[in-house]
Amino acid sequence: MKYFLFSCYIILSSSVFCQNLSITLPQKSSLDNLIAQIESQTNYKMAFSDGINPKSKLESPITYNNIPVPELVSQLNTSLPYEFKIVGNNITVKQKTKEISQATYSLSGQITDSENQPLFGATIYIPKLKIGTTSNTNGYFSLKIPEGKYTIDISFIGYTSIKEPIAITKNTTKNFQLKESGEILQEVVIDQKNNATNIKKPQMSINSLSTQEIKQIPVAMGEADPLKSLLTLPGVTNAGEGASGFNVRGGAADQNLILLDDVPIYSDSHMFGFFSVFNADAIKSLDLYKGGIPSKYGGRVSSVLDVYQNNGDYKKFKVDGGIGLISSRLKVEGPIKKDKASFMLAGRSSYAHLLLADDENSAKFYDLNSKLNYRINNTNSLEFSGYLGSDVFDLNDSFVSTYGNKMGKLDWKHRFNQDINTNLSVFYSDYTFKLTLSSQDLNWESNIKNIGLKYDWQHFISDKIQLNYGVDALYYSFNPGTLKPDNEDSPINFRQLDKKYALEPSAYLDVSQKISDKIQLRYGLRYSLFYRFGPQDVNNYAENPQIFNPTFNIYEKATPTGTTSYSSGEVISHFSNLEPRLAVSYILNDKTSFKASYNRMAQYLHIISNSQSPSPVNIWTPSGPFIKPQLLDQYALGYFRNFNDKTYSLETEVFYKNIKNRIDYVDGADLVANNDIEQVLLNGKARAYGLEFLFKKNKGDLTGWISYTLSRAEQKTTGNTPSEPGIANGNWYLSPYDKLHNLSVIGNYEYSKKWSYSANFSLQSGQPVTYPNGYYEIGGIRVPNYTARNENRLPLYHHLDLAATYTPKPKKKKGWQSHWVFSIYNVYNRRNAASIRFTTNDDTGVNEARRLSIFGLLPSVSYNFKF
């Protein structure tokens, strides 16, 4: 009998163990799909250990035909991050334990584009291990990886993504080059170019535009403009048509830190705002941080615009250029020594003044960009960056205004090992404004100069932790104004407003950390200091620099009781601030995530202006005895999602900003050439809050985005005592940069290889302004009476722009290549108000409002080429 039972057991066991089955699962299938196919074709039941999620996705497709169960289990143990084991009629599944003895190596390298330009922020990801990192400003990356065979994914916004197999058996250095157009490379899979939202990175409140996107957006004058393109993004507005500067989340233009190759630039426009200082041909990348700002950046409380120039091609010479109606540009780049040294030179100049019938008047500009690179060896390189730009505005030689930026920087990039990269920089920056008035026999000059030193380190601790840390110091020299007579007989006396000097040192630590597959963090701390020092004579006052006169309900200048003299190098005032930063992302799945951020920032520089748009004559002034540093606390929460295989992306954010020590001028203040500016300023605070929405279509012949912002920006400026009214009776009043509604719709359509079309529709609430609500007469002179500060608005601002690009020979990839751009700015001829002026009609004596409009319908054409 027992032999019979034993024989039955053997037969039954053999029938179980000898079963064959076939498995077919596509990529991204879940673990329970695999389980279902095994249980439906065999007598086995699956058993799970704690911690196993049956809904977990399988990174790679699975295909087996007529395979025995034991062999299937062996194959699954090799290819999946689980341990499968046959126990009787069950197959157990548990998480693989890491082998302590398994060797770990570094995978490092550099990510570049097709012109050998390093790509900052490219994503490097290992799907099998679910780990990844991003490249630094020099394109370098480093990952800690266990020994084994993997597939590596490299991606970057605006470029094709690649997937390549790689075997790790030792510390490995491997460089990758991303292409802008699809090409078939051996053993490399290329995905379609995609601008999908990065779900996993904790960084939020950042917008990036590629050079290609910038050149597709129609703008006035037909010139591709990086700064004007920013206005199509949520949370970014302008001060009016043809105006310079930009405002971010209700902040002023002077609250934006503008960096060109990490060097501060103090004026962002040419021709009073018609063009930006950035030549699109010379620009490699452009990133705008509106919140969640990494601790590497400091010195401003609204945003950081980080712009990098092209490095120049290391392999071959290239020429790019364009001819427009009022300006032309040319860029030349190539190797000085192949694969060793390169250069880039770009120039741009306007010639509208040559087309004027009156050759005694002119408005023109030029700028020059340069970049030199020298690779000393595999671990050391030198880099020089330069910029020179100038504007000239001339009215019959009686009024001549000249202003512009100069910048120079030298970098030493050193790589200690595969995990540590450093960058040591010294730089100089200068913004100068000059004015000649022949009728008054005077010359006026003002400037702000910078000398700086930075030392940045990037340290890859592990695949989960990356450190960025460094120190920097900026020396400032402020000349608010030098007044010189034009000749010896001039009635004007020489006058020098008090020059000011300051030093701003700081240190920072920034940590990127992966807590789990669901949670990633970026946190850090910046410690900034500011020293204001002599030589300078500083006024003393009995109480405050301003005195309120209750009889006339106005503020008057207080009379100084004396002065305190500070010698050269003697500290007048000093400040210090800790600036914590935090950003976190919670990943729901591969398509969706929530993000939150907080950052505190300090700003020690200020522009005192009574206009919404910064003008060349505006003067920068440092914090000191009467002007405190501005302090920002900003909070943001966002929801991010990709749809339909990343064809569509949605980004939504809510934010709240609170700013302390926001100064404002009293009514009737004299701001120009005022040596005692503290007498017309009051200290207050500001706040801004809102909702931002960005919906993008990333793939297909039709691409583009819709951005919308609903926001409010306000200020509150009380008096020095509770009995004083301050500004607007001490109540909250609209900031000059408040835009309740801000809508942009961008569309790009590739009709054929020869023709593509683009459109841009913009709509913004009108600027807050202060209108007179009546007048009274004194001695026959009419004196206007004004409403409360910024109680009125300019009319709604909107326009539609169209452009068409024609490429005669789209298949031509060598030699002379060209294309034409035809554009129409403001298609329906909307007369948007730059300002409204209230005057009295000389003929009728009736008061009337007169609207000043800059642009109506404006067609343009440009011819662009490269070879």
Side-chain angles (χ1 to χ4, degrees):
M1 182 66 180
K2 65 179 179 179
Y3 291 107
F4 173 78
L5 293 175
F6 179 76
S7 300
C8 291
Y9 173 80
I10 293 296
I11 294 171
L12 290 172
S13 299
S14 300
S15 65
V16 170
F17 282 98
C18 293
Q19 297 177 79
N20 289 4
L21 69 164
S22 296
I23 303 287
T24 301
L25 290 172
Q27 190 175 8
K28 299 299 182 182
S29 295
S30 60
L31 180 60
D32 56 5
N33 294 140
L34 172 64
I35 293 166
Q37 291 201 26
I38 293 176
E39 290 185 341
S40 65
Q41 298 181 56
T42 70
N43 296 324
Y44 287 96
K45 297 296 181 184
M46 309 297 288
F48 302 95
S49 65
D50 293 340
I52 293 292
N53 180 9
K55 300 296 183 181
S56 299
K57 300 297 183 182
L58 306 178
E59 293 296 332
S60 303
I62 296 177
T63 303
Y64 297 105
N65 292 317
N66 197 29
I67 184 173
V69 173
E71 187 176 343
L72 172 65
V73 168
S74 176
Q75 292 289 338
L76 293 177
N77 282 331
T78 302
S79 60
L80 296 181
Y82 306 101
E83 183 178 339
F84 294 80
K85 187 176 181 180
I86 299 174
V87 179
N89 291 339
N90 295 319
I91 298 179
T92 62
V93 185
K94 64 180 181 178
Q95 201 76 38
K96 277 184 178 177
T97 57
K98 294 183 178 179
E99 297 180 20
I100 299 177
S101 61
Q102 186 177 19
T104 300
Y105 299 104
S106 291
L107 171 63
S108 60
Q110 186 181 33
I111 311 297
T112 60
D113 63 13
S114 57
E115 297 179 349
N116 295 307
Q117 307 283 347
L119 294 177
F120 169 45
T123 299
I124 301 93
Y125 185 65
I126 310 292
K128 186 175 181 179
L129 301 176
K130 296 185 177 180
I131 61 172
T133 187
T134 56
S135 57
N136 66 9
T137 54
N138 303 315
Y140 290 112
F141 71 92
S142 182
L143 274 172
K144 300 291 187 181
I145 299 177
E147 182 177 1
K149 295 182 178 180
Y150 307 98
T151 297
I152 184 169
D153 290 2
I154 312 292
S155 61
F156 185 70
I157 292 176
Y159 290 79
T160 54
S161 300
I162 65 174
K163 296 181 180 180
E164 183 173 342
I166 188 169
I168 301 298
T169 58
K170 60 181 180 179
N171 289 338
T172 303
T173 299
K174 187 171 180 61
N175 300 326
F176 297 90
Q177 189 174 79
L178 298 183
K179 308 291 183 180
E180 288 195 14
S181 59
E183 298 179 14
I184 303 300
L185 303 181
Q186 185 177 4
E187 293 188 276
V188 177
V189 179
I190 298 186
D191 295 336
Q192 184 178 359
K193 182 173 65 178
N194 201 315
N195 295 337
T197 297
N198 192 313
I199 297 297
K200 297 183 178 180
K201 289 179 64 175
Q203 182 64 60
M204 63 184 299
S205 305
I206 180 174
N207 292 120
S208 302
L209 287 175
S210 66
T211 303
Q212 181 182 0
E213 288 173 318
I214 291 170
K215 292 183 176 181
Q216 286 177 329
I217 299 174
V219 293
M221 309 294 187
E223 176 87 18
D225 194 317
L227 284 189
K228 301 300 182 186
S229 301
L230 288 176
L231 301 177
T232 66
L233 302 174
V236 187
T237 60
N238 64 354
E241 201 160 45
S244 61
F246 60 98
N247 309 115
V248 177
R249 289 183 171 177
D254 69 308
Q255 294 175 329
N256 301 319
L257 177 62
I258 302 176
L259 299 173
L260 180 61
D261 284 342
D262 280 332
V263 179
I265 297 293
Y266 292 94
S267 176
D268 61 14
S269 66
H270 289 303
M271 293 180 66
F272 302 97
F274 291 125
F275 296 90
S276 79
V277 297
F278 301 118
N279 180 350
D281 287 344
I283 299 306
K284 176 179 68 175
S285 64
L286 179 149
D287 297 308
L288 177 67
Y289 296 87
K290 300 176 295 185
I293 299 174
S295 53
K296 172 184 176 180
Y297 303 104
R300 302 293 188 276
V301 295
S302 189
S303 73
V304 176
L305 178 61
D306 203 4
V307 182
Y308 284 93
Q309 298 185 108
N310 282 314
N311 283 344
D313 199 299
Y314 282 90
K315 295 185 179 297
K316 57 183 178 180
F317 287 95
K318 295 180 179 179
V319 177
D320 291 82
I323 302 171
L325 293 180
I326 62 174
S327 69
S328 292
R329 62 194 189 279
L330 185 69
K331 181 186 74 171
V332 182
E333 63 178 312
I336 300 174
K337 184 177 181 181
K338 192 171 183 179
D339 295 325
K340 190 77 172 178
S342 69
F343 77 95
M344 186 278 295
L345 293 173
R348 183 173 54 155
S349 178
S350 68
Y351 39 76
H353 61 287
L354 301 177
L355 307 178
L356 297 176
D358 184 359
D359 58 5
E360 295 182 348
N361 302 325
S362 66
K364 55 188 177 182
F365 76 88
Y366 73 86
D367 52 35
L368 299 170
N369 298 76
S370 64
K371 199 79 172 281
L372 299 174
N373 300 275
Y374 178 63
R375 294 172 175 170
I376 300 173
N377 51 41
N378 291 333
T379 58
N380 294 278
S381 65
L382 294 175
E383 180 181 285
F384 171 79
S385 299
Y387 173 82
L388 175 63
S390 183
D391 283 73
V392 178
F393 185 65
D394 184 357
L395 291 178
N396 198 24
D397 290 331
S398 62
F399 175 94
V400 181
S401 171
T402 305
Y403 59 93
N405 295 286
K406 294 190 288 287
M407 179 276 279
K409 179 191 176 190
L410 182 65
D411 285 297
W412 170 44
K413 302 180 190 297
H414 176 65
R415 198 174 190 190
F416 281 97
N417 53 48
Q418 291 184 320
D419 299 327
I420 299 178
N421 301 298
T422 65
N423 188 11
L424 178 63
S425 309
V426 291
F427 62 84
Y428 171 82
S429 179
D430 177 6
Y431 171 72
T432 300
F433 172 76
K434 296 180 181 180
L435 176 66
T436 298
L437 291 175
S438 300
S439 61
Q440 302 296 321
D441 294 325
L442 68 83
N443 293 290
W444 173 273
E445 181 177 342
S446 64
N447 60 54
I448 174 174
K449 296 181 181 180
N450 254 166
I451 298 175
L453 173 71
K454 292 185 179 183
Y455 198 18
D456 298 311
W457 293 60
Q458 186 175 52
H459 193 168
F460 299 94
I461 302 296
S462 69
D463 60 297
K464 293 186 177 181
I465 299 179
Q466 177 181 316
L467 302 182
N468 292 273
Y469 47 89
V471 295
D472 58 64
L474 281 79
Y475 170 80
Y476 298 96
S477 173
F478 303 86
N479 178 13
T482 303
L483 185 64
K484 298 179 181 179
D486 201 29
N487 55 64
E488 296 180 356
D489 299 327
S490 172
I492 302 296
N493 295 322
F494 177 87
R495 185 186 180 195
Q496 174 64 62
L497 300 183
D498 290 345
K499 293 185 178 181
K500 302 176 178 69
Y501 306 91
L503 178 69
E504 183 180 351
S506 61
Y508 74 91
L509 171 66
D510 191 83
V511 184
S512 296
Q513 183 175 3
K514 181 180 179 181
I515 302 298
S516 67
D517 290 340
K518 294 287 187 181
I519 300 175
Q520 294 190 27
L521 295 177
R522 183 166 191 169
Y523 53 93
L525 181 67
R526 184 180 184 87
Y527 181 57
S528 61
L529 303 102
F530 192 81
Y531 297 92
R532 170 90 171 272
F533 52 87
Q536 187 183 347
D537 294 335
V538 178
N539 289 334
N540 300 320
Y541 298 91
E543 292 184 358
N544 298 300
Q546 325 82 16
I547 297 176
F548 179 68
N549 186 329
T551 303
F552 296 102
N553 198 34
I554 60 172
Y555 280 91
E556 298 175 339
K557 299 177 181 178
T559 302
T561 59
T563 60
T564 301
S565 296
Y566 294 88
S567 59
S568 179
E570 186 177 0
V571 175
I572 300 172
S573 300
H574 73 276
F575 308 92
S576 62
N577 284 285
L578 285 171
E579 305 174 36
R581 318 287 171 86
L582 172 66
V584 57
S585 65
Y586 179 76
I587 305 163
L588 294 178
N589 50 51
D590 290 341
K591 298 179 180 179
T592 310
S593 68
F594 288 97
K595 300 182 184 183
S597 68
Y598 163 78
N599 61 272
R600 163 165 279 219
M601 302 185 76
Q603 177 170 337
Y604 302 99
L605 307 186
H606 317 260
I607 283 183
I608 313 300
S609 175
N610 59 2
S611 64
Q612 286 87 348
S613 172
S615 65
V617 76
N618 287 152
I619 305 300
W620 289 86
T621 190
S623 297
F626 305 104
I627 302 177
K628 298 179 181 179
Q630 300 177 67
L631 297 177
L632 162 81
D633 291 291
Q634 180 173 199
Y635 310 84
L637 178 66
Y639 171 77
F640 303 82
R641 182 174 174 83
N642 290 317
F643 301 89
N644 195 17
D645 193 27
K646 299 184 179 181
T647 299
Y648 303 96
S649 299
L650 173 65
E651 301 177 20
T652 58
E653 293 188 34
V654 291
F655 67 89
Y656 179 83
K657 297 167 60 172
N658 181 63
I659 300 176
K660 300 177 182 178
N661 305 325
R662 179 62 180 167
I663 54 177
D664 207 346
Y665 60 91
V666 300
D667 293 334
D670 178 17
L671 302 179
V672 179
N674 188 344
N675 201 43
D676 304 317
I677 195 70
E678 71 275 3
Q679 296 177 339
V680 296
L681 300 178
L682 289 175
N683 192 56
K685 58 185 177 180
R687 67 185 181 189
Y689 48 90
L691 165 68
E692 294 177 354
F693 171 93
L694 178 63
F695 182 76
K696 299 185 293 184
K697 185 175 186 296
N698 306 307
K699 298 179 181 180
D701 293 334
L702 176 63
T703 59
W705 61 88
I706 299 173
S707 74
Y708 173 71
T709 306
L710 177 68
S711 64
R712 174 66 75 210
E714 300 172 309
Q715 291 180 225
K716 186 175 185 179
T717 310
T718 57
N720 296 312
T721 66
S723 61
E724 296 180 12
I727 298 174
N729 293 317
N731 298 317
W732 287 101
Y733 58 95
L734 293 180
S735 160
Y737 323 105
D738 176 83
K739 298 289 180 71
L740 182 62
H741 301 285
N742 178 23
L743 171 69
S744 290
V745 182
I746 304 296
N748 301 301
Y749 178 62
E750 187 173 348
Y751 176 74
S752 66
K753 296 296 183 181
K754 289 190 175 184
W755 285 98
S756 62
Y757 304 96
S758 57
N760 169 29
F761 175 74
S762 297
L763 181 147
Q764 296 179 12
S765 297
Q767 284 179 261
V769 291
T770 307
Y771 288 157
N773 59 359
Y775 68 92
Y776 53 91
E777 291 190 6
I778 300 179
I781 300 175
R782 292 183 174 183
V783 179
N785 183 59
Y786 287 90
T787 61
R789 182 76 61 91
N790 293 337
E791 198 172 66
N792 310 106
R793 282 189 183 273
L794 292 177
L796 192 69
Y797 170 93
H798 55 87
H799 60 86
L800 172 67
D801 316 320
L802 301 175
T805 301
Y806 173 64
T807 306
K809 299 179 179 179
K811 294 183 179 180
K812 190 175 183 181
K813 301 300 180 183
K814 295 182 179 180
W816 187 275
Q817 304 164 59
S818 64
H819 66 274
W820 292 85
V821 178
F822 308 92
S823 64
I824 302 177
Y825 181 85
N826 198 1
V827 171
Y828 50 82
N829 199 31
R830 165 73 175 180
R831 309 300 295 186
N832 287 302
S835 65
I836 291 182
R837 184 165 57 97
F838 293 84
T839 63
T840 301
N841 190 299
D842 294 334
D843 297 328
T844 64
V846 176
N847 292 332
E848 60 185 17
R850 296 182 180 179
R851 174 186 298 199
L852 172 63
S853 297
I854 304 296
F855 295 131
L857 183 146
L858 185 63
S860 63
V861 60
S862 65
Y863 176 72
N864 304 275
F865 59 88
K866 63 180 181 179
F867 58 89

